[in-house]
Amino acid sequence: MAQGLIEVERKFLPGPGTEERLQELGGTLEHRVTFRDTYYDTSELSLMRADHWLRQREDSGWELKCPGAAGVLGPHTEYKEVTAEPAIVAQLCKVLGAEDVGAGGVAAVLGPLGLQEVASFVTNRSAWKLVLLGAGEEEPQLRVDLDTADFGYAVGEVEALVHEEAEVPAALKKIHRLSSMLGVPAQETAPSKLIVYLQRFRPQDYQRLLEVNSSRERPQGTGHPDNSLG
């Protein structure tokens, strides 16, 4: 993904007829793929508690999701995705209050920044693209990812990528329209794979995120944050 794009997404719980409905709406299956995601944080979850999500995807490199505009309401999330390693390192240092960690990529600063693996799982994904009827040819396609994690959790995501904050409202309108066409209840929220992983396998960490996010909302991917996260 091009550096600096804003990801606007909404997660939902797919049903047995979701893929068939996507076909009926003119969706195109781009590919089916399997990959492993590994997430890193400090022992105190300093990144996640600041709504930053550091991930290494197998064969795809590093990504840091940073919060988008404040005041985003409803069953969707907005994140800026940083994929250039120097920019990731700079943002990590900023969030963690670190200064000079030396030269090198993300892997080289994990130790100095006290970052460790907190979750790792495999996802089977079917990736779809489609343009809503009536949208102009210049309109970017919407993306729908249908994921099943190796610990048995399935979640879908409708996503749009935009360049400027001013484009977010129109992207949200398209996302909600497609979600409605897929039969997703208007206020349905679905947790990200990472949040469900923590809830099942690291309940103390999950509870810590619940507590720190209670003042603003629930953890990433549960309405306002896969986090994430994907």
Side-chain angles (χ1 to χ4, degrees):
M1 189 185 74
Q3 193 71 23
L5 287 179
I6 300 169
E7 175 193 64
V8 187
E9 65 182 36
R10 178 184 180 182
K11 289 181 170 56
F12 66 96
L13 299 175
T18 300
E19 289 200 347
E20 181 179 352
R21 181 61 177 149
L22 282 167
Q23 289 178 313
E24 292 173 353
L25 293 171
T28 301
L29 176 63
E30 279 200 304
H31 56 259
R32 298 186 190 275
V33 64
T34 300
F35 53 84
R36 175 176 290 277
D37 283 333
T38 303
Y39 289 86
Y40 292 83
D41 208 332
T42 68
S43 59
E44 299 298 318
L45 302 185
S46 301
L47 293 178
M48 294 182 188
R49 291 164 64 188
D51 204 13
H52 284 67
W53 310 82
L54 178 63
R55 179 188 75 198
Q56 183 182 39
R57 176 161 293 174
E58 186 179 33
D59 298 326
S60 295
W62 293 91
E63 177 184 272
L64 179 66
K65 285 195 177 186
C66 309
V72 178
L73 301 176
H76 57 266
T77 60
E78 178 188 336
Y79 281 94
K80 293 182 179 178
E81 298 184 338
V82 184
T83 55
E85 292 200 33
I88 291 176
V89 171
Q91 184 67 15
L92 290 175
C93 290
K94 180 180 178 181
V95 174
L96 298 175
E99 294 184 359
D100 184 16
V101 292
V106 177
V109 304
L110 293 178
L113 292 178
L115 296 169
Q116 59 194 26
E117 179 181 315
V118 295
S120 185
F121 49 83
V122 174
T123 295
N124 292 312
R125 167 173 293 177
S126 61
W128 296 74
K129 275 192 175 181
L130 74 162
V131 176
L132 291 180
L133 190 63
E137 290 186 3
E138 74 282 358
E139 292 288 334
Q141 292 179 311
L142 289 176
R143 182 183 192 90
V144 180
D145 291 332
L146 302 178
D147 291 353
T148 302
D150 60 1
F151 53 90
Y153 177 62
V155 65
E157 176 181 289
V158 183
E159 174 187 289
L161 297 174
V162 299
H163 292 86
E164 305 288 343
E165 288 287 346
E167 299 174 276
V168 170
L172 281 174
K173 185 176 181 180
K174 290 189 292 183
I175 287 173
H176 290 315
R177 182 180 168 205
L178 177 56
S179 298
S180 177
M181 291 177 172
L182 292 174
V184 179
Q187 293 302 314
E188 176 181 273
T189 60
S192 68
K193 301 187 296 292
L194 173 59
I195 290 300
V196 173
Y197 179 97
L198 294 176
Q199 185 178 23
R200 294 185 184 181
F201 304 112
R202 300 183 66 133
Q204 290 182 331
D205 285 342
Y206 175 76
Q207 189 60 36
R208 185 179 298 173
L209 288 181
L210 278 183
E211 291 168 357
V212 77
N213 283 280
S214 62
S215 62
R216 62 179 186 254
E217 271 189 90
R218 292 163 290 180
Q220 195 259 10
T222 62
H224 165 70
D226 187 111
N227 142 132
S228 97
L229 294 170

